[in-house]
Amino acid sequence: MAHPSQLGFQDAASPVMEELLHFHDHALMIVFLISTLVLYIIVAMVTTKLTNMFLLDSQEIEIIWTILPAIILILIALPSLRILYLMDEINNPHLTVKAIGHQWYWSYEYTDYQEIAFDSYMVPTQDLAPGQFRLLEVDHRMVVPTEAPVRVLVTAEDVLHSWAVPSLGVKMDAVPGRLNQTAFIASRPGVFYGQCSEICGANHSFMPIVVEAVPLKYFQDWSTLMLEDA
Amino acid sequence: MSMSGESEDADKKGFKLFGILDVQNVPCARESLLFGAGSALAAGLLHFLTTSRVRRSYDVGFAGFFVTTLGSWFYCRINNAKLRVQERVIQQGLRNKVVYQGTSLDPTQTGPTQMGPTQPQPPKDF
């Protein structure tokens, strides 16, 4: 999960997020090299004693600084497009969960077999147990099985919201009157935190998302328990 | 649990070049930059020893750094990507091992499978 003064991404918990991290490292290295090149040229320009009053027809450098950026852009674009289409692949989900945004909480529905529906409110700071995270914990987590493709259908009841879990590489707008679909695979068991990502009123910062990925056996036990409690 | 998490975060913070590139935690970054720095030093020094031109030697050194870092970065990342594909294939195979064990799809089976209906065998005279 996120830690204070964090600048980079959280650790990946899904294959898509792993690919995004790799692409980010790739693009960052290219950006870093270009930045050092520009810095070096600036220093060289500033410290030279040479002046040139008549600079005409520098064909070679013009060709170089046209072709080279084009090549660099292609080297960035190819992996980018690969990931873009990878994220849109149809993956035959094992489970469908509906995430509905309200002011100011999320509700989840598992309706593949029987109806499991519950609201997910943030745990107020004064009610936190020792070791729990402020503004991130919820009373009922969205539980999913690990290693299983999960489809999430996102919508909203009132105003715009956005369902986002950074470590799963997922963000999808919740629009009233519209169903948006996204999917993920949780590669490892764990608890993954996210927050509403579209301004939705006074308590926009206080409607977090918590996804708990557990092995299938425990997911079955949890769903049985939820059905009994309903 | 939070205490161990804090110590892990402290180790993971590492060193960020220009404040953006996390050299310790990004795969291939450290090796590429070290190769680049080494070749910059070597190329610049070699050029200076042969030509005695200071500024041009700096330029050659920097060009060596740029090209070597970029080249070793791409080489390392491509190999890394191939390893990750192999890793995924192996993981998938391990997951499928239990499912396919004893069937005709079991890759560890060397002879005809003993399970399932018996197949008619040709007479040994042939």
Side-chain angles (χ1 to χ4, degrees):
Chain A
M1 62 163 292
H3 58 261
S5 68
Q6 177 176 339
L7 284 180
F9 290 111
Q10 297 179 32
D11 289 342
S14 72
V16 164
M17 191 59 199
E18 283 178 30
E19 293 294 326
L20 285 168
L21 286 182
H22 285 287
F23 173 69
H24 174 262
D25 295 339
H26 167 78
L28 198 62
M29 177 56 86
I30 293 174
V31 161
F32 170 75
L33 288 174
I34 292 171
S35 304
T36 52
L37 176 67
V38 168
L39 191 64
Y40 181 80
I41 290 171
I42 288 171
V43 170
M45 292 287 167
V46 162
T47 56
T48 185
K49 291 174 189 167
L50 302 171
T51 53
N52 192 332
M53 291 169 61
F54 306 102
L55 187 62
L56 302 165
D57 287 341
S58 49
Q59 296 290 356
E60 297 83 5
I61 189 83
E62 293 274 353
I63 290 171
I64 290 170
W65 69 31
T66 304
I67 302 281
L68 199 59
I71 294 172
I72 289 172
L73 285 174
I74 290 171
L75 289 176
I76 294 173
L78 289 178
S80 174
L81 288 169
R82 179 184 156 265
I83 291 178
L84 190 66
Y85 284 93
L86 193 78
M87 289 164 72
D88 269 348
E89 270 184 5
I90 298 168
N91 56 1
N92 295 323
H94 295 180
L95 177 72
T96 299
V97 184
K98 291 167 204 162
I100 302 157
H102 308 257
Q103 283 180 311
W104 288 278
Y105 62 97
W106 292 93
S107 62
Y108 301 105
E109 294 175 9
Y110 297 64
T111 51
D112 283 335
Y113 303 105
Q114 290 173 283
E115 177 90 17
I116 299 176
F118 54 91
D119 297 335
S120 179
Y121 280 86
M122 185 189 84
V123 175
T125 305
Q126 59 268 24
D127 296 339
L128 287 171
Q132 286 192 311
F133 300 112
R134 192 179 70 93
L135 306 184
L136 285 175
E137 299 287 354
V138 296
D139 52 1
H140 298 106
R141 295 170 174 171
M142 177 179 139
V143 181
V144 296
T146 51
E147 301 286 354
V150 174
R151 173 201 279 134
V152 185
L153 298 173
V154 184
T155 187
E157 276 282 341
D158 35 46
V159 298
L160 292 177
H161 301 271
S162 186
W163 194 83
V165 183
S167 47
L168 296 172
V170 165
K171 183 182 288 186
M172 186 54 72
D173 281 355
V175 181
R178 180 184 172 86
L179 265 187
N180 282 331
Q181 174 182 295
T182 186
F184 65 87
I185 300 174
S187 317
R188 53 185 169 89
V191 181
F192 310 115
Y193 296 91
Q195 291 176 292
C196 180
S197 299
E198 185 67 44
I199 188 78
C200 54
N203 286 347
H204 155 68
S205 312
F206 309 115
M207 47 181 295
I209 297 134
V210 184
V211 176
E212 184 173 349
V214 294
L216 183 61
K217 180 188 169 306
Y218 298 104
F219 175 76
Q220 288 169 335
D221 294 341
W222 170 82
S223 54
T224 307
L225 200 66
M226 292 298 286
L227 285 167
E228 283 169 3
D229 285 348
Chain B
M1 192 173 117
S2 60
M3 294 290 284
S4 63
E6 283 168 9
S7 63
E8 282 169 14
D9 288 340
D11 290 333
K12 277 189 174 179
K13 270 179 187 163
F15 170 65
K16 284 195 163 88
L17 215 52
F18 283 4
I20 56 169
L21 185 65
D22 190 348
V23 175
Q24 283 183 346
N25 293 321
V26 172
C28 300
R30 186 175 169 270
E31 294 83 7
S32 305
L33 287 168
L34 286 174
F35 280 132
S39 74
L41 208 63
L45 202 61
L46 204 65
H47 188 271
F48 176 72
L49 290 173
T50 49
T51 62
S52 297
R53 294 174 71 179
V54 178
R55 286 192 77 93
R56 185 53 59 94
S57 301
Y58 277 126
D59 296 342
V60 167
F62 182 81
F65 167 78
F66 192 94
V67 170
T68 309
T69 303
L70 204 63
S72 68
W73 170 258
F74 277 118
Y75 178 74
C76 181
R77 293 292 284 194
I78 284 171
N79 286 340
N80 209 345
K82 285 180 191 167
L83 279 176
R84 280 193 289 123
V85 168
Q86 282 179 357
E87 180 190 307
R88 262 185 240 132
V89 168
I90 291 169
Q91 276 179 350
Q92 191 69 23
L94 285 171
R95 257 181 251 128
N96 290 338
K97 184 184 174 191
V98 173
V99 173
Y100 293 140
Q101 202 168 22
T103 67
S104 57
L105 293 170
D106 186 353
T108 59
Q109 280 282 357
T110 49
T113 177
Q114 296 299 316
M115 295 180 68
T118 52
Q119 301 291 325
Q121 298 292 326
K124 285 186 183 171
D125 294 336
F126 285 75

